[in-house]
Every structure is written in structure tokens, then in C-alpha cells.
Amino acid sequence: MTAWTTDNLSSSEIKGLELEFDTIPWTDGRLFGYVAWLDTSIKDPGSFQDGYACAERIIYGQPECGDPQVSDIRGNHLPFAPEYSATLNYEHRFSLASGFSVVPFASIHWQSKMYFDLLNYDGPHLSQAQDSYTKLNLSVRLNAPADRYYVEMFGDNVTDEDTKNFWGFNRGVVKGYYDPPRIYGLRMGYSFE
């Protein structure tokens, strides 16, 4: 029999620090971003039960689900909470005599390992984690005079990193969702003001 249940944590602790910055290091340049530290810890697991891929863990020779499927998850990280993350962005405006401007932009994002479930299960083939990664986005925008409209060529995830945004197990199947792969494109915008 399969049943959906809700797991309630009795107690967890969240500590963190985020530093944001936005500076103009020289004329027409802008450097901005953030650095974050997040420490999450489960103090009392409450009603949590470990029923994650029990049969498959046996097949792969991994630690078995407990009996009666209650697992001590004290000290585990909360889901979707990487311990460290940082983003650094830079753009520079080149003003042209015609009133147009060209603005190249670069953004690099890094984050440490992140779990998708309270269990923090990290066995081969069944891991509920996204390992640390770095992504790079680039663009070049052409702005009309007075920024009335723009045309922008962009490349998101130009290093083509495979990153998960969800990973789980349901009815004998490991299911995951991934962020978009490398994408190139053209964006346009118009201001009605």
C-alpha cells in the first residue's frame, strides 16, 4: 500500500549571513552581486519516516531503510539550502555619439552542494542532492537613445552545466527535474513611458 504523508519537524535551526554589494568601480562600469552563508540544521526530526527507495537501496548495496522506517536525521540540512552561494555581475555602458549605447554584461554564479529532501540521502544513483556548480551568463544589449527600446543577444548557462532543481523517488522510479541547458537567444523590449 502507498500513502502520501506529511513530515513535521519539531525543531530546526537556521543561521546565516548575506552580504550584497553594488558599486561603480569606474565611469560607466557597474559591479554588483552577493555572497551568502546559510547554516541549517535539524534539531528534532519529529514525525519523519525514511521510506526513500528502500528496495532499490538494497539492490545497490546501500544503507537500508530503518525499521520501522524511522531515521535519525538530526544534524541534516534543510532542503534547498546550500551552505554557500555567491553571484558576481559586471556590466559596462559604452555610449555612442548617435545616442545609442552598448552594454555587455557577465554574471557568474556559484553554490555549494544542496539537498532536496530532509533525509539528505547521497547514495550512488539515488542521491537527493545537487553537487556544487558554477554557471556563467553573458549578454550584449543595444539601448536606443533615452533607453526607449533595446535589443539584447544573450547566452544563459554558456558552460552548459547540468543542474537539478528537484530529485525524488516515486513508485519505483527516480524522477528529476533539471534547469535549462545552454540557451542562446535574442530579447527585445520597449518602454511606453
Side-chain angles (χ1 to χ4, degrees):
M1 175 187 286
T2 301
W4 296 99
T5 61
T6 299
D7 297 321
N8 293 308
L9 294 179
S10 297
S11 176
S12 64
E13 182 177 82
I14 302 172
K15 297 182 287 187
L17 179 66
E18 182 172 323
L19 301 174
E20 296 183 15
F21 58 93
D22 194 339
T23 183
I24 299 173
W26 41 75
T27 304
D28 296 325
R30 181 179 174 214
L31 183 66
F32 59 103
Y34 76 92
V35 177
W37 165 69
L38 184 61
D39 181 21
T40 65
S41 180
I42 296 169
K43 297 302 179 187
D44 184 341
S47 63
F48 180 83
Q49 292 188 348
D50 174 13
Y52 178 70
C54 295
E56 290 73 13
R57 283 156 62 173
I58 293 171
I59 292 169
Y60 286 120
Q62 298 174 19
E64 296 182 23
C65 295
D67 186 18
Q69 296 185 340
V70 175
S71 181
D72 186 357
I73 58 171
R74 283 177 288 197
N76 283 10
H77 298 282
L78 292 175
F80 302 97
E83 187 172 5
Y84 301 102
S85 59
T87 296
L88 180 64
N89 305 299
Y90 182 73
E91 67 179 17
H92 195 96
R93 179 182 286 260
F94 295 94
S95 298
L96 307 177
S98 62
F100 283 83
S101 62
V102 176
V103 183
F105 172 81
S107 176
I108 188 164
H109 173 78
W110 174 84
Q111 77 173 43
S112 62
K113 188 173 200 168
M114 174 180 75
Y115 294 95
F116 299 115
D117 188 82
L118 298 171
L119 183 60
N120 290 186
Y121 193 78
D122 205 14
H125 311 294
L126 301 171
S127 175
Q128 294 178 302
Q130 169 57 57
D131 290 331
S132 64
Y133 67 86
T134 303
K135 284 190 180 180
L136 176 66
N137 297 331
L138 301 171
S139 69
V140 176
R141 189 174 69 241
L142 176 66
N143 292 327
D147 293 336
R148 191 70 176 164
Y149 62 88
Y150 71 88
V151 177
E152 181 178 44
M153 293 173 30
F154 69 92
D156 288 344
N157 189 14
V158 296
T159 53
D160 202 24
E161 296 294 320
D162 290 329
T163 55
K164 298 178 264 188
N165 59 48
F166 176 77
W167 200 257
F169 188 86
N170 186 11
R171 298 183 184 189
V173 178
V174 176
K175 294 182 179 180
Y177 301 98
Y178 283 81
D179 294 319
R182 180 189 298 125
I183 296 175
Y184 294 104
L186 186 67
R187 288 189 278 248
M188 294 178 281
Y190 183 82
S191 175
F192 293 94
E193 294 182 15

